[in-house]
Amino acid sequence: MSTINRKAIRAKVRRRIRRKVSGTASRPRLAVYFSNRHVYAQIIDDTVGKTICSASTADASIADPSKLANCATATKVGNLIGERAKAANVTEVVFDRGGFKFCGKVKALADAARETGLKFFLRDADNILQAEAIMIVGTRQQVQGLN
């Protein structure tokens, strides 16, 4: 019986998420990472491999040496990344939770970013079904045009 530590499990989940989530120029990826001491967030365009903007608790504007990575600091980082995204003309992002569960610090950061005006694109069943319905309607119109 082998034991797998928490880091290995999170890395496995992170790889699974990254297979599905990718940022483009029109809809970049908002990636988050939490260490014991700091909260990091980056908005990344994966097509060119460039970080558009970033925010963390290590920044001078929100640095507080007595604080650890908790919900309050995650909210501050979420507000800051939202403001910097607006300055970089980014309105929509794909959220990459980085293998962390979507609760607590992750949810606080996401909610704070949403409050500043960032729209999150979720890759869920409704969006996929809607896209498939549009494709089916489009093919029906093409077939009717051929008759």
Side-chain angles (χ1 to χ4, degrees), residues 29-50:
R29 175 171 57 101
L30 172 58
V32 297
Y33 177 73
F34 299 93
S35 68
N36 286 336
R37 190 168 288 216
H38 293 289
V39 178
Y40 303 92
Q42 295 182 37
I43 295 183
I44 305 164
D45 180 3
D46 289 318
T47 55
V48 293
K50 182 181 175 189

Side-chain angles (χ1 to χ4, degrees), residues 58-81:
D59 288 347
S61 60
I62 56 175
D64 188 4
S66 64
K67 297 281 184 180
L68 296 176
N70 54 22
C71 288
T73 56
T75 302
K76 290 179 184 177
V77 171
N79 287 330
L80 186 60
I81 195 73

Side-chain angles (χ1 to χ4, degrees), residues 129-145:
L129 289 175
Q130 185 179 16
E132 288 175 357
I134 291 169
M135 290 171 50
I136 291 170
V137 169
T139 55
R140 283 186 190 152
Q141 289 174 349
Q142 290 173 353
V143 170
Q144 288 174 355

